[in-house]
Amino acid sequence: MRWKKWTALTVSSVMTAILIAGCGEAKETAGGTSGASGNKETEVTQNVNKAGMPIVKQPIELTFFTGLAATNGSNKFEERLVWSEYAKMSNVKVNFQTVPFENLTEKRNLALANGDYPDVLYSARVPASDLMKYGGQGVFVKLNDYIDSYAPNLKKLMDKYPDLRKALTMPDGNIYSFPSFYSPEFLPMLIGTPLWVKKDWLDKLNMKEPQTIDDLYAYLKAVKTTDLNGNGQADEIPYSGTGINPLMEQIMGAWGVGTRGLGHKHVDIDPKTNDLRFFRTTDNFKELLQFMNKLYGEGLLDKDVFTQTGNQLYAKGGKGVLGATINPNPKTQFNGEGYFGLGALKGPHGDQLYTHIKVPMVWPGAFVITDKNKNIEATVRWMDHFYGDEGATFYFMGKEGVSYTKAADGKLEFVDEIKKNPNGLTMDQALTKYVTWMGGSYPGYVQEKYFKGSETLPESVEAGKKAQPHAIKELWYNFNFTDEETEFMKTKGSDIQTYITEMEAKFITGAVSFSEWDKYVTTVKNMGVADYLKVYKAAYDRYNKSK
């Protein structure tokens, strides 16, 4: 008999306590006891050190349901330096049950539905809607009090960045997770995946770095018609990526849409009226789609762009045939040399806005503690360590003298085995011996001083500098919806988004003519855009009012 099965019943507090005790469940509180299992919980709490290492006096063991990126290698997490060392430091042994990101949503949903989940969901991309749903049911542990008592690093960050606290707090006033949080001052990280072009090909074509949308088109067109790699074959691919949205999201600022960042893909603020706007059906967005249609029709986009995986893209990159692409950094992803990132391109009407900026809190549900966990205080401390400088440096860099060195000026650098691997491994591949953050979605706090991934390489830093002058000024964090609003977004809202995605692909490929645009806009409106905006407005107002 499980606690979550009783939450829907209307019973007195006395009866609830009896039922829980009868089922042998022990619900822990921050520094308190509960019912018949009070002595056991007191022992659990007393086993936890309030500060320093080890986290617990007597060793404990936890199991994590864990998302795994393709770039993160296949060797076990437990065997990597960061986790084998942390187990010794903390007295907490973690067993990572890894699930590939491709199957993650399905496996996570199934586990939550049938109750077959472990102590923690780690790097499991739990959406805000599930935080609200399962938090309300008691499946996910409410962390407010635990954070106050056992998570000084996260608490300090929320005090420093009030938007972080707002984005983590669900409409019921509770926090159910630790986030994946990028420093708002670390622009190359928030950009993440610039639009890269090949400098030596530009030089061969006697072309300057693209500054406008027309310049980009001219470069891609020239790549299509020139044997730039000199192999006598017409195998150059002007642009390739994984999906069509990354390119649209990189250049939509040239048409003045997407003005509040990547966290809000359908609604922004109209700069002319300062009102909420459903921008995917505007005339400006139509022009963006027409530009994409032009690229596709002239063979300037990879024919596989809608369906290929990251590994397929990197295989093409390794052959030296890509004129432009979008990924964290060609150098680390496929040993691609000579690429540099573009800044904000100027559009046909003079718009020049760099909108491809992630929400600093990239994944709200990056670390979620479940009701199966009998060591909540220790688990909170275990995770909070990585939101401070010492823990974050360890998490991202590994161990000084083993995986990284520290110069006299304090600058940290990976060892040559990682930066210049003698066996030809990419940096991500070489790192799998030491750490597990490759591929993203991890819980933690990212700053430039200790994060040495793709985004901190000179090319990425330079791309950030180019983007800075035209970067959007007001970046929205995540909005959290009530249960009723979530239901709308999952039903009618999802239907609208799905229809838009399907139709945009058809407009780009030419399967549907732009003569059908007005009919398409009318259809979208009739599907409930007014209600969609109403729901968004309610969440937006709550976001602005919350502290």
Side-chain angles (χ1 to χ4, degrees):
M1 191 180 297
R2 295 198 46 73
W3 164 244
K4 66 178 181 179
K5 294 180 180 178
W6 292 101
T7 56
L9 300 179
T10 305
V11 293
S12 70
S13 59
V14 174
M15 182 61 70
T16 302
I18 293 172
L19 288 170
I20 295 172
C23 296
E25 291 291 326
K27 302 299 290 182
E28 300 177 17
T29 58
T33 59
S34 173
S37 57
N39 292 336
K40 181 179 179 181
E41 290 185 3
T42 300
E43 292 175 7
V44 168
T45 303
Q46 289 178 345
N47 189 39
V48 179
N49 292 315
K50 287 284 287 185
M53 292 291 167
I55 291 173
V56 288
K57 302 178 182 73
Q58 297 298 319
I60 62 172
E61 194 165 331
L62 301 171
T63 302
F64 289 8
F65 176 100
T66 308
L68 178 69
T71 55
N72 214 328
S74 57
N75 47 325
K76 290 183 177 181
F77 276 24
E78 295 90 338
E79 297 172 355
R80 303 191 193 189
L81 179 144
V82 65
W83 298 128
S84 61
E85 288 292 320
Y86 195 42
K88 298 173 189 175
M89 291 164 51
S90 65
N91 247 356
V92 179
K93 181 179 184 294
V94 173
N95 302 305
F96 294 91
Q97 299 176 343
T98 55
V99 180
F101 281 145
E102 302 89 78
N103 312 116
L104 181 67
T105 300
E106 178 187 358
K107 297 287 188 182
R108 186 192 65 234
N109 289 345
L110 183 62
L112 289 171
N114 63 23
D116 186 23
Y117 50 85
D119 301 298
V120 170
L121 304 184
Y122 176 92
S123 190
R125 297 179 174 179
V126 180
S129 58
D130 279 1
L131 294 176
M132 185 69 181
K133 174 183 176 180
Y134 292 105
Q137 293 176 5
V139 174
F140 295 163
V141 175
K142 182 175 71 173
L143 298 177
N144 304 48
D145 292 340
Y146 292 106
I147 290 172
D148 284 341
S149 300
Y150 295 96
N153 294 317
L154 180 61
K155 189 172 185 295
K156 182 179 178 181
L157 282 177
M158 292 193 297
D159 290 341
K160 182 177 180 180
Y161 301 107
D163 281 338
L164 173 60
R165 184 185 297 275
K166 291 194 294 185
L168 273 178
T169 303
M170 295 297 109
D172 64 3
N174 294 319
I175 295 174
Y176 297 105
S177 62
F178 283 74
S180 178
F181 183 61
Y182 299 166
S183 169
E185 290 81 31
F186 190 5
L187 187 57
M189 192 69 189
L190 296 184
I191 291 172
T193 54
L195 173 55
W196 303 97
V197 297
K198 204 158 172 54
K199 185 180 186 306
D200 58 334
W201 286 9
L202 274 170
D203 293 341
K204 286 183 180 180
L205 293 166
N206 197 28
M207 301 177 77
K208 295 181 180 180
E209 177 180 341
Q211 302 292 329
T212 69
I213 285 295
D214 288 341
D215 291 344
L216 176 63
Y217 167 76
Y219 167 69
L220 297 178
K221 187 74 171 178
V223 171
K224 175 72 174 176
T225 57
T226 311
D227 181 19
L228 290 163
N229 60 12
N231 65 357
Q233 302 177 37
D235 56 353
E236 287 81 2
I237 301 174
Y239 171 83
S240 189
T242 52
I244 200 66
N245 277 327
L247 179 57
M248 289 200 297
E249 290 168 350
Q250 271 287 346
I251 64 176
M252 65 172 54
W255 282 272
V257 294
T259 62
R260 291 301 182 268
L262 287 177
H264 303 269
K265 298 184 183 296
H266 297 81
V267 176
D268 69 355
I269 292 290
D270 187 338
K272 294 180 180 179
T273 65
N274 210 35
D275 293 329
L276 284 179
R277 170 180 66 173
F278 192 89
F279 67 81
R280 306 292 284 217
T281 53
T282 61
D283 289 341
N284 283 18
F285 200 84
K286 175 186 176 183
E287 290 186 19
L288 166 61
L289 292 177
Q290 288 174 323
F291 177 73
M292 298 295 295
N293 169 258
K294 180 180 179 180
L295 298 183
Y296 188 88
E298 296 184 18
L300 307 185
L301 303 181
D302 188 344
K303 58 182 175 59
D304 301 322
V305 71
F306 284 96
T307 57
Q308 72 183 347
T309 65
N311 285 339
Q312 290 169 328
L313 171 67
Y314 303 149
K316 291 176 181 177
K319 295 177 181 178
V321 297
L322 302 185
T325 187
I326 291 176
N327 61 62
N329 192 304
K331 184 175 289 186
T332 61
Q333 303 303 307
F334 54 83
N335 286 326
E337 296 289 345
Y339 288 88
F340 65 88
L342 300 182
L345 299 175
K346 184 176 289 187
H349 308 297
D351 297 289
Q352 190 172 13
L353 191 63
Y354 201 97
T355 60
H356 191 275
I357 301 178
K358 301 174 185 177
V359 176
M361 190 181 78
V362 184
W363 293 103
F367 186 90
V368 181
I369 300 173
T370 76
D371 60 349
K372 299 283 187 73
N373 194 311
K374 305 307 176 189
N375 296 278
I376 299 174
E377 294 90 346
T379 306
V380 169
R381 277 215 58 212
W382 184 96
M383 186 66 251
D384 185 65
H385 180 60
F386 300 112
Y387 290 85
D389 279 359
E390 179 184 342
T393 301
F394 175 58
Y395 180 78
F396 289 110
M397 299 293 295
K399 192 172 181 181
E400 185 176 358
V402 178
S403 53
Y404 76 92
T405 58
K406 186 175 183 179
D409 62 0
K411 187 176 181 181
L412 310 180
E413 291 289 348
F414 284 126
V415 295
D416 283 346
E417 180 198 349
I418 295 171
K419 290 191 303 180
K420 304 172 184 176
N421 187 268
N423 298 318
L425 299 179
T426 66
M427 190 171 77
D428 280 2
Q429 290 169 337
L431 278 169
T432 60
K433 179 179 176 181
Y434 302 102
V435 294
T436 61
W437 51 261
M438 294 75 69
S441 304
Y442 47 77
Y445 176 40
V446 178
Q447 295 187 85
E448 185 173 359
K449 61 184 176 181
Y450 51 67
F451 181 79
K452 300 299 175 183
S454 302
E455 294 82 358
T456 60
L457 293 177
E459 301 88 352
S460 297
V461 172
E462 183 62 29
K465 290 178 180 177
K466 290 179 186 176
Q468 185 68 62
H470 301 286
I472 54 178
K473 304 304 180 188
E474 184 180 345
L475 182 67
W476 281 345
Y477 280 54
N478 311 72
F479 293 174
N480 294 318
F481 300 102
T482 64
D483 287 341
E484 183 179 358
E485 292 163 354
T486 296
E487 182 62 25
F488 174 88
M489 296 302 284
K490 283 187 173 181
T491 53
K492 286 187 176 181
S494 179
D495 290 343
I496 291 171
Q497 293 171 3
T498 299
Y499 178 69
I500 283 174
T501 299
E502 292 172 352
M503 288 299 294
E504 286 177 357
K506 290 178 179 179
F507 281 123
I508 291 170
T509 60
V512 173
S513 168
F514 281 95
S515 63
E516 299 288 313
W517 179 262
D518 290 343
K519 179 182 176 182
Y520 159 70
V521 172
T522 299
T523 300
V524 174
K525 287 181 178 179
N526 290 340
M527 292 178 75
V529 164
D531 291 333
Y532 191 102
L533 279 172
K534 184 178 179 181
V535 167
Y536 231 83
K537 178 69 162 55
Y540 175 58
D541 289 344
R542 237 181 356 257
Y543 174 83
N544 284 333
K545 291 177 182 177
S546 60
K547 297 179 180 179

